[in-house]
Amino acid sequence: MQTFRTERSRTLTLGAVTLMAALAFPAMPAFADSAGDEVVASTISRVSPSNGTVAGGMVVTLTGRSFTGATGVRFGDTPAVKFSVVSDSTITAITPALKAGVYSLAVTTAAGTTTATSLTVRTLEDEVLRLVNEARAHKRTCGSKTYKAAKPLRYDATLAVVADAHSADMAKRDYFSHNSKNGDSPFDRMKDAGYRYRYAGENIAAGFRTPASVVKAWLKSTGHCKNIMSKKYVELGVGYATGGYYGTYWTQDFGRPR
């Protein structure tokens, strides 16, 4: 991973059925009754984590009751890739690939299908933004400097285009650098896209498979962490692409417009 330090602009500053088998036997002098087993509908009280990505493949844990004998788990209308009944109160399930959106969870048992709670599914880029803002919500030390909690960054479409193009270029042309093959810096690319900034910065990474893993790595690196926590920035664009030597390429472009 590399980090690109913040640059000052030259012109400004930088998702009960009960079966009562009441069998009356006409034997005298008494009646004998026999009751069947009660079948109880399952309930879902919690899913963890409650956020996933369109890529799928994430293990989620469903907490509730009466899961024993479950025959199916669905996210919306799509079955889980795989699920396991850990106990009567716990099921683990692997998420399928889904479009971005909010999905209800359903568990099917002998008592029927119960639908409850929800999983929010985001694009990989949107999940990076969410995790960054989650990190900014808490005080954090980056190297020798401690940063207070900062306001969340807002999505910027222009920065997203710039970041996505750089990730795609690194993947296609098989290199890893803040500077493009033609020598353009992140700040050149922002200006060329029409983004006029007071402050700007960039983080890049390669080889990380999930938003959680790449954000965690950035936060452990002093320079990257400083970019993420800096109050100078108010906007963020995220780019993700596959290909090249490392397999995955991530770009974060930060900015504060003029």
Side-chain angles (χ1 to χ4, degrees):
M1 294 190 301
Q2 303 179 24
T3 184
F4 202 103
R5 288 193 171 86
T6 304
E7 176 184 270
R8 183 182 296 275
S9 170
R10 295 178 181 174
T11 57
L12 291 172
T13 54
L14 298 126
V17 179
T18 302
L19 175 62
M20 292 299 296
L23 304 178
F25 295 92
M28 297 298 290
F31 291 101
D33 295 333
S34 175
D37 292 335
E38 183 180 23
V39 180
V40 180
S42 61
T43 60
I44 308 170
S45 58
R46 183 171 180 263
V47 58
S48 179
S50 59
N51 297 280
T53 70
V54 294
M58 180 179 71
V59 178
V60 299
T61 299
L62 281 65
T63 304
R65 66 181 180 86
S66 301
F67 290 154
T68 300
T71 57
V73 175
R74 297 197 316 274
F75 296 86
D77 295 328
T78 307
V81 174
K82 185 179 180 180
F83 73 91
S84 177
V85 179
V86 179
S87 69
D88 192 62
S89 61
T90 304
I91 289 178
T92 58
I94 300 176
T95 60
L98 298 164
K99 293 182 179 180
V102 178
Y103 294 84
S104 60
L105 275 71
V107 173
T108 300
T109 65
T113 298
T114 298
T115 302
T117 196
S118 64
L119 177 77
T120 300
V121 175
R122 296 179 174 86
T123 64
L124 300 178
E125 295 87 348
D126 285 346
E127 180 66 358
V128 168
L129 175 59
R130 186 190 73 82
L131 291 170
V132 163
N133 284 334
E134 187 177 86
R136 284 170 66 90
H138 305 279
K139 182 175 71 173
R140 186 175 301 274
T141 299
C142 304
S144 60
K145 183 174 181 179
T146 298
Y147 289 81
K148 294 181 180 179
K151 292 181 179 180
L153 299 172
R154 61 179 178 263
Y155 166 86
D156 181 78
T158 301
L159 289 177
V161 169
V162 174
D164 190 63
H166 188 54
S167 288
D169 191 55
M170 288 191 291
K172 181 178 180 180
R173 302 174 71 179
D174 200 13
Y175 71 98
F176 181 67
S177 173
H178 288 285
N179 291 333
S180 304
K181 285 285 191 179
N182 63 2
D184 284 349
S185 72
F187 314 108
D188 295 326
R189 295 191 293 270
M190 292 179 196
K191 291 174 183 177
D192 289 345
Y195 189 81
R196 298 294 179 257
Y197 59 82
R198 291 182 61 195
Y199 303 98
E202 179 177 272
N203 286 343
I204 59 174
F208 296 90
R209 301 300 175 186
T210 66
S213 64
V214 72
V215 171
K216 182 178 180 180
W218 276 328
L219 289 171
K220 287 185 176 180
S221 171
T222 300
H224 300 86
C225 181
K226 287 180 177 180
N227 273 347
I228 288 174
M229 294 301 297
S230 177
K231 290 183 178 180
K232 292 186 298 186
Y233 303 133
V234 297
E235 297 178 336
L236 178 67
V238 180
Y240 168 78
T242 58
Y245 177 80
Y246 291 102
T248 62
Y249 294 82
W250 306 82
T251 302
Q252 291 181 311
D253 282 328
F254 301 83
R256 177 187 287 268
R258 290 181 185 176

